Amino acid sequence: MIDLDALVSLRAVATHGSVVAAAEALGFTPSAVSQQIKRLERSSGVPVLERVGRGVMLTRHGRHLVERGTRLLADLEELEAGLHRQAETVAGDVRLTAFSTAMRGLVAPTLPPVLDAHPTLEVALTEREPWDTIDLVARGESDLGLVHSWGDVPLQIPDHVVATRIGTDLADVIMRADHALARQPAVTPADLVDEGWIATPDGTICRQWLNRMYVGTGRLPRIAHVAMEFDSHLALVRAGLGIALVPRLGRAALATDLVAVPAKDPVPTRSVLALHRRSMTDSPAITALLDALLAAGARF
């Protein structure tokens, strides 16, 4: 009989390209993953990995196991979700992955009441960027994901992943209270072409949106400083080192030395989406968490 845990490990090796990377993704040691792979080879009677230089690659048999096994694991996931639905049991382990501001502004206040109501439910949290979260949910390495999509910046979501809109978040331009534009009712990119921005790293969704805001101005935003966390952006603005575009979700309260000025033409808007695999649609645990997130999203 094929060991399902070993099959999950083999799939992780196929996805991440090495035993070490698979172990990191699964939260195991490399030794544990190697032992599971060897157990799979003994039970199946065929080699599933072969060494290539210092790395490994799947054999023809290994690729077959991953291809067919992925469908099998999805069927088992759907079967388990259906059983829990029939029993009306909100229980089990759920892996939830979210971006940083959703973790602070959405998950942290929403999760404790759900756990209090369902003592046999366990939720493990991981913070990742949206593109990583989509991949983790799609590959079965996370059960519920929270992602954001700015304006017309597209997110590619696989067909076997269901997206549920949780709410709409807005971002404001954060500047010091003594800034020349601080008392404006709203500002446009044209008003800000000479400003120095504190921005997230190049390649992030938030940075892509900041760049797209400037379409039509004939300029790109002038990036003065780069920081990943919006809390760092606030500190740098407070120090007089630039301005920043910071979402309202999960934003720390502003002291009197900072102001949030609305932006327009375009309005910086992002959709917050919850993702789960279609095979988990009947899971009461996923439903309970989604209901709580939707209720919180209605209060944005």
Side-chain angles (χ1 to χ4, degrees):
M1 180 69 68
I2 292 176
D3 186 304
L4 293 179
D5 289 336
L7 186 57
V8 170
S9 290
L10 181 64
R11 183 177 63 175
V13 172
T15 299
H16 298 284
S18 72
V19 170
V20 172
E24 183 178 354
L26 295 173
F28 298 152
T29 65
S31 175
V33 171
S34 294
Q35 289 174 14
Q36 287 182 337
I37 298 298
K38 289 176 182 177
R39 188 164 63 248
L40 182 60
E41 290 181 326
R42 286 195 300 269
S43 65
S44 65
V46 296
V48 297
L49 289 181
E50 59 182 350
R51 289 205 167 276
V52 179
R54 295 184 178 181
V56 295
M57 66 179 295
L58 270 68
T59 64
R60 176 170 59 89
H61 309 300
R63 292 193 299 272
H64 174 75
L65 275 174
V66 168
E67 180 183 343
R68 298 297 296 271
T70 296
R71 282 179 274 171
L72 172 63
L73 291 170
D75 288 343
L76 288 173
E77 195 170 68
E78 188 171 356
L79 173 63
E80 183 178 17
L83 285 173
H84 285 168
R85 173 68 71 186
Q86 287 185 8
E88 299 182 347
T89 302
V90 179
D93 299 324
V94 175
R95 299 160 296 177
L96 193 161
T97 307
F99 56 98
S100 60
T101 51
M103 195 71 83
R104 293 195 298 270
L106 194 54
V107 176
T110 299
L111 185 56
V114 178
L115 296 178
D116 288 343
H118 307 289
T120 55
L121 176 64
E122 297 284 343
V123 179
L125 304 176
T126 303
E127 188 174 296
R128 299 291 289 269
E129 282 291 288
W131 288 310
D132 294 333
T133 297
I134 293 171
D135 289 341
L136 289 170
V137 172
R139 293 196 303 256
E141 294 175 21
S142 181
D143 303 309
L144 185 62
L146 287 171
V147 301
H148 61 77
S149 175
W150 282 98
D152 60 350
V153 178
L155 283 178
Q156 300 299 322
I157 299 174
D159 290 340
H160 71 287
V161 173
V162 178
T164 302
R165 180 185 287 271
I166 298 299
T168 300
D169 188 23
L170 293 176
D172 300 301
V173 179
I174 307 299
M175 58 184 66
R176 282 170 53 118
D178 58 3
H179 193 285
L181 298 173
R183 295 188 179 182
Q184 294 294 317
V187 291
T188 69
D191 298 323
L192 306 170
V193 290
D194 295 320
E195 298 290 336
W197 285 93
I198 295 136
T200 56
D202 196 19
T204 59
I205 294 178
C206 296
R207 180 70 165 271
Q208 287 188 11
W209 170 252
L210 182 59
N211 288 338
R212 290 194 185 203
M213 276 183 65
Y214 272 65
V215 171
T217 66
R219 304 271 291 276
L220 284 173
R222 183 170 68 84
I223 307 301
H225 307 286
V226 174
M228 191 66 197
E229 289 297 325
F230 288 119
D231 283 350
S232 300
H233 292 204
L234 297 180
L236 295 176
V237 173
R238 182 171 286 111
L241 298 174
I243 63 174
L245 186 70
V246 180
R248 297 177 185 179
L249 178 64
R251 188 170 74 201
L254 301 180
T256 56
D257 58 343
L258 295 181
V259 296
V261 181
K264 63 178 183 179
D265 302 329
V267 176
T269 304
R270 64 177 182 172
S271 298
V272 178
L273 307 173
L275 309 178
H276 69 275
R277 288 179 299 286
R278 204 171 296 279
S279 56
M280 297 196 74
T281 296
D282 287 336
S283 166
I286 295 297
T287 298
L289 290 166
L290 276 177
D291 287 347
L293 291 168
L294 284 166
R299 298 191 292 269
F300 278 7

